[in-house]
């Protein structure tokens, strides 16, 4: 079933942010350009306490969903095996196959619903983190005298003195030390 894919998706989307390629920088990183600041949101999501809480909880929720769907997979596989071994005599009127098809459809629908819930839950937690980070970024931008704030993903090599990410992470850890949440149902308007 696709459940492993959604669990992997949630895990990879969070863990991949920590696996960003770090190159051995040059011996002389160049000048600290006044007014140019760089921020790395992926590192914040991977290393802040709130980001790590989201990653841990999403892994737990994916495991819960797997546990919820496992009985469907087991009963479906058992019924398929029974029908294959019993041949035509096991389902002379076709009612077992019809019931099996309905069970498969029910499992697929539930799996899709849970995948959508996990995606929505992850996006909502990231939205909460972003809402908490925005005023911190504005404050750091003003304190550092930034004239421009560049996304770290757009920069290959930079002078570390221009990177404000660590400051933002420290302040976020104070402002939003963790997040506690459960799987969220997808609102009707978002599902359409």
């Amino acid at each position: 079933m696709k459940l492993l894919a959604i669990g992997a998706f949630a895990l990879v989307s969070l863990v991949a942010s920590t696996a960003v390629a770090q190159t051995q920088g040059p011996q002389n990183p160049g000048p600290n350009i006044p007014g140019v600041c760089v921020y790395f949101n992926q590192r914040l999501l991977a290393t802040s306490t709130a980001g790590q809480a989201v990653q841990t909880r999403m892994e737990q929720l994916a495991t819960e969903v797997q546990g919820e769907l496992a009985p469907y997979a087991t009963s479906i596989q058992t019924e398929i095996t029974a029908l294959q071994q019993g041949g035509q005599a096991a389902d002379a009127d076709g009612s077992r196959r019809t019931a099996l098809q309905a069970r498969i459809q029910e499992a697929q629908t539930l799996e899709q619903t849970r995948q959508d819930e996990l995606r929505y839950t992850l996006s909502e937690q990231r939205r909460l983190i972003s809402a908490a980070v925005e005023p911190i970024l504005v404050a750091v931008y003003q304190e550092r005298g930034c004239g421009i704030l560049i996304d770290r993903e757009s920069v290959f090599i930079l002078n570390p003195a221009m990177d404000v990410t660590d400051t933002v992470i420290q302040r976020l850890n104070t402002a939003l030390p963790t997040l506690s949440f459960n799987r969220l149902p997808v609102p009707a308007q978002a599902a359409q």
Side-chain angles (χ1 to χ4, degrees):
M1 291 191 165
K2 296 179 190 173
L3 179 60
L4 293 177
I6 188 63
F9 168 77
L11 180 59
V12 167
S13 68
L14 289 168
V15 173
S17 62
T18 62
V20 175
Q22 295 292 327
T23 61
Q24 181 70 5
Q27 296 297 324
N28 176 4
N32 179 2
I33 303 169
V36 177
C37 300
V38 178
Y39 167 68
F40 195 12
N41 193 59
Q42 294 291 27
R43 187 158 61 91
L44 175 125
L45 290 173
T47 62
S48 67
T49 55
Q52 290 175 348
V54 168
Q55 178 178 336
T56 299
R57 184 65 179 138
M58 289 304 299
E59 290 170 1
Q60 293 168 349
L61 292 174
T63 300
E64 288 174 13
V65 168
Q66 288 174 343
E68 181 181 358
L69 295 175
Y72 281 91
T74 302
S75 69
I76 288 169
Q77 187 57 51
T78 300
E79 186 64 10
I80 289 171
T81 302
L83 287 171
Q84 288 173 340
Q85 291 175 349
Q88 184 64 27
D91 189 26
D93 65 354
S95 62
R96 284 180 71 182
R97 288 190 194 284
T98 302
L100 176 60
Q101 289 172 344
R103 182 81 169 152
I104 290 170
Q105 181 61 44
E106 179 184 342
Q108 289 173 337
T109 300
L110 180 61
E111 181 178 26
Q112 184 62 50
T113 299
R114 295 302 180 254
Q115 287 176 2
D116 292 345
E117 289 171 350
L118 288 174
R119 275 191 214 98
Y120 179 72
T121 301
L122 178 59
S123 71
E124 282 299 297
Q125 301 319 304
R126 286 184 173 170
R127 185 188 60 73
L128 291 172
I129 291 173
S130 293
V133 166
E134 188 174 335
I136 295 170
L137 274 174
V138 169
V140 170
Y141 179 93
Q142 291 172 340
E143 290 167 14
R144 289 293 262 315
C146 302
I148 186 170
L149 182 62
I150 301 172
D151 181 0
R152 173 63 176 100
E153 289 187 28
S154 302
V155 177
F156 185 69
I157 299 175
L158 70 129
N159 182 321
M162 298 182 327
D163 191 340
V164 299
T165 308
D166 288 335
T167 303
V168 175
I169 290 171
Q170 290 168 355
R171 291 184 186 181
L172 178 65
N173 288 346
T174 301
L176 186 66
T178 191
L179 286 171
S180 298
F181 57 93
N182 289 313
R183 189 177 66 233
L184 300 172
V186 180
Q189 67 273 15
Q192 295 173 352

